[in-house]
Amino acid sequence: MHHTSLITLLVGGIVLAFVFGALAQRLRLPPLLGYLLAGVAIGPFTPGFVGDAELAPQLAEIGVILLMFGVGLHFSLADLMKVRRIAVPGAAVQIAVATAMGWALARWLGWSHVAGVVFGLALSVASTVVLLRALEERHLVDTTRGQIAVGWLIVEDIAMVLALVLLPVLAGDATDHARMPLWQALALTCAKVGGFVAFMLVVGRRVIPWLLARVVRTGNRELFTLCVLAIALGVAFGSASLFGVSFALGAFFAGVVLNESEFSHEAANETLPLRDAFAVLFFVSVGMLLDPAILLERPGEVLLTALIIILGKSIAAFAIVRAFGRDTSTALLIAASLAQIGEFSFILATLGLQLGVLPREGQDLILAGAIVSIVVNPFLFTLLDRRKARHERRARAAADALAPVPDGTSGHVLVVGYGRVGRELARLLGATMTTVVVDADAHRIDEARRDGHFAVMGNGADARTLQEARAAAAGFAIVALPMTLEAGAVVDSLRAEAPAITIIARTHSDEGAAHLIAHGADATVMAEKELAHSIVAMIEATPARRGRRPLPPAPEVPA
């Protein structure tokens, strides 16, 4: 069976990760928790099948490379600059506070100063996977609060990349540094990292986009995917071999350079399945390292570790955000977002263990703290959701008292969703018809009223909201929401509240159109098809010509 140990590990890890991940999702917990528990199940500390302890770290290393490549691929300096005044100093202070708390616990447990710093750093950084998933589920990524959270996360990621680079030097692990004074070792490491960064900025920024452009011209999708993976793995391996920096740093900068290419979006999409698969294997391999007995043998230490992650970091982040003059809702969102740890913590803990600066107990506490925090984190967001709902009910009552839809309003148009599409529709329709906007976001409701429309704040699928918008007396309803399932729920409620109303809904696919029609929409509009119709109309409206003349504008098509 030794010849099939790799296959056995892959099959066992992926199948159990799917089973435990699906169970976690069913319980409304992050699937990442299921992946970690799958690793515990096939680890050496639990009965039954045990995965190959030599192969697992190698698969985990590939997972680290692809994870860091993904972080670099989505790294946006522009997003960071938008919120730099709060994200940069805020994240720096929060990392320092969390590291100090972790160091204090480590010293109380009798560990060394370096072990305390590594332990504290591992507790200070939040999981990208968990945070982004929570923001995406609540449609907060593109909001100001979401941008602050993402910017904060970017600063944490950069700090951890630097920690991964400097930790071997501080540990005196590298043979070149073993007999050097610390300042010389740091200077040599900084020189190597600086040389690698300069090489990537000077050579990589030219060669990588050039290579991708040549591959794109072949029109071969498989070659493009292979090219992107070759860049990620090749740069990571080359950085370690030629410059002596970590695989993680090399992969991160490969992603950063590729992010500047015009093909970055395609690169991210094409490699996403493989990145996800190896990320799962990374979390499984990390779970294999956890001895679950620590939960029974050292419950006090586990509880203190979890409290640092869930309460210590959150209180520090809340105080920092409030000190910068932000509102309580923003401070609570940032605090809840950071009340967990994940992939960078595991990478740092594994490196600390390999270098001999972090005791095995430290890694177990980090993993146990991560599991506890990931379980608790969704409940924190649930509390925030309830608080937001109470606030919105009060705000809606106050807003409706100020600017209700007048009694007797009829024949009007309901526009559900005041995003980019809904805003433009309301502008065009408002010139000739009475328009009532429905949206759950208080800021958008304020914008709609400033734009001269009647507006009702609330969920478009809620019967009370539709009653306040006089849906039963409206002539048309336009559902301008981008998410098909959410739009379908609104269509259901509209049809129940106003059986005679004409409903037109926005969609992005034939399947979405069929779903909305099945739920009661009279018609759907697909942006991609309307774009094609506009291009054909432009061509048909243009007479045969020999020279190059500007095309006439396309006739306006409803968005």
Side-chain angles (χ1 to χ4, degrees):
M1 285 297 291
H2 66 279
H3 296 295
T4 61
S5 57
L6 175 61
I7 297 175
T8 305
L9 178 61
L10 286 172
V11 172
I14 290 176
V15 169
L16 285 178
F18 166 72
V19 172
F20 283 101
L23 287 174
Q25 183 73 28
R26 179 83 174 179
L27 296 173
R28 303 184 67 82
L29 295 171
L32 186 151
L33 176 64
Y35 309 153
L36 290 172
L37 293 179
V40 174
I42 63 173
F45 304 104
T46 53
F49 168 74
V50 177
D52 192 315
E54 294 183 1
L55 285 174
Q58 297 180 47
L59 292 175
E61 198 68 60
I62 297 177
V64 169
I65 291 173
L66 295 178
L67 269 173
M68 294 301 297
F69 177 67
V71 171
L73 199 57
H74 292 94
F75 175 80
S76 173
L77 186 60
D79 288 345
L80 178 58
M81 294 306 290
K82 290 179 185 176
V83 294
R84 66 187 183 280
R85 297 184 185 278
I86 182 173
V88 175
V93 173
Q94 178 258 310
I95 290 172
V97 171
T99 301
M101 289 189 289
W103 171 85
L105 176 58
R107 293 297 293 161
W108 180 69
L109 294 173
W111 303 349
S112 67
H113 289 291
V114 176
V117 171
V118 174
F119 184 70
L121 283 172
L123 301 186
S124 70
V125 59
S127 167
T128 303
V129 176
V130 175
L131 187 148
L132 289 179
R133 186 67 56 84
L135 295 180
E136 287 170 354
E137 287 178 354
R138 292 159 179 81
H139 311 294
L140 293 173
V141 175
D142 294 326
T143 65
T144 301
R145 291 180 293 161
Q147 288 175 347
I148 292 174
V150 172
W152 198 295
L153 191 67
I154 290 172
V155 177
E156 287 191 345
D157 289 351
I158 294 173
M160 291 307 108
V161 169
L162 294 176
L164 293 174
V165 171
L166 296 177
L167 183 56
V169 180
L170 296 175
D173 176 73
T175 56
D176 293 341
H177 302 157
R179 295 187 176 91
M180 287 184 183
L182 180 60
W183 71 269
Q184 289 184 6
L186 287 173
L188 180 58
T189 298
C190 290
K192 289 182 177 180
V193 173
F196 169 67
V197 173
F199 177 82
M200 290 299 294
L201 294 179
V202 175
V203 179
R205 290 177 69 180
R206 291 171 173 80
V207 173
I208 289 176
W210 175 85
L211 179 61
L212 281 174
R214 294 299 180 277
V215 174
V216 167
R217 289 179 185 176
T218 67
N220 190 308
R221 185 174 178 178
E222 294 175 1
L223 278 180
F224 180 79
T225 303
L226 285 174
C227 180
V228 175
L229 292 173
I231 290 170
L233 298 173
V235 171
F237 185 80
S239 66
S241 302
L242 300 178
F243 294 92
V245 302
S246 66
F247 288 141
L249 183 65
F252 174 76
F253 268 95
V256 169
V257 171
L258 189 55
N259 185 36
E260 297 182 1
S261 166
E262 61 181 306
F263 309 110
S264 61
H265 184 69
E266 290 82 358
N269 288 337
E270 292 297 324
T271 60
L272 182 61
L274 191 63
R275 286 191 287 121
D276 284 348
F278 274 97
V280 168
L281 290 175
F282 165 71
F283 292 120
V284 170
S285 67
V286 168
M288 291 175 64
L289 301 174
L290 174 64
D291 183 358
I294 195 172
L295 297 171
L296 300 176
E297 295 172 357
R298 295 181 175 271
E301 288 91 332
V302 172
L303 178 61
L304 289 174
T305 302
L307 288 176
I308 290 174
I309 299 169
I310 299 170
L311 286 182
K313 285 172 58 180
S314 299
I315 293 172
F318 179 86
I320 293 166
V321 175
R322 290 292 290 154
F324 276 88
R326 298 288 178 164
D327 59 80
T328 301
S329 296
T330 300
L332 287 173
L333 176 68
I334 303 300
S337 299
L338 301 177
Q340 40 79 20
I341 60 175
E343 54 275 9
F344 264 115
S345 305
F346 306 147
I347 295 170
L348 198 61
T350 302
L351 180 60
L353 190 66
Q354 292 172 352
L355 297 176
V357 297
L358 184 70
R360 180 56 186 263
E361 179 189 358
Q363 186 184 51
D364 286 341
L365 287 177
I366 290 169
L367 295 176
I371 289 176
V372 173
S373 68
I374 291 171
V375 170
V376 171
N377 196 249
F379 296 102
L380 297 180
F381 273 97
T382 299
L383 292 176
L384 287 187
D385 291 341
R386 291 177 179 174
R387 178 184 181 276
K388 179 183 177 183
R390 290 195 301 269
H391 174 75
E392 287 182 347
R393 282 196 297 268
R394 290 194 296 266
R396 182 171 62 183
D400 289 346
L402 292 173
V405 178
D407 292 334
T409 301
S410 63
H412 54 288
V413 179
L414 286 184
V415 177
V416 182
Y418 202 64
R420 290 177 299 174
V421 175
R423 186 178 292 109
E424 183 65 12
L425 282 168
R427 184 185 69 82
L428 295 172
L429 293 169
T432 56
M433 306 177 69
T434 301
T435 304
V436 177
V437 172
V438 175
D439 200 291
D441 188 283
H443 298 294
R444 289 182 174 177
I445 290 297
D446 290 340
E447 289 179 8
R449 287 177 175 149
R450 284 196 298 269
D451 293 338
H453 308 297
F454 296 118
V456 175
M457 189 174 77
N459 188 339
D462 182 64
R464 180 173 175 270
T465 300
L466 295 179
Q467 290 167 7
E468 292 177 3
R470 309 287 191 267
F476 294 87
I478 301 175
V479 182
L481 301 173
M483 306 301 291
T484 300
L485 294 178
E486 184 181 355
V490 173
V491 170
D492 273 336
S493 297
L494 278 168
R495 186 56 69 204
E497 186 68 28
I501 197 172
T502 300
I503 304 173
I504 303 172
R506 167 191 179 190
T507 185
H508 291 286
S509 67
D510 291 328
E511 293 80 5
H515 176 81
L516 293 170
I517 293 294
H519 280 260
D522 294 291
T524 61
V525 177
M526 191 185 308
E528 291 78 3
K529 285 188 176 181
E530 298 305 326
L531 174 62
H533 293 164
S534 295
I535 293 174
V536 171
M538 291 174 69
I539 293 172
E540 291 177 345
T542 304
R545 56 195 176 92
R546 295 180 180 177
R548 290 184 177 273
R549 299 194 308 272
L551 291 173
E556 289 194 6
V557 179

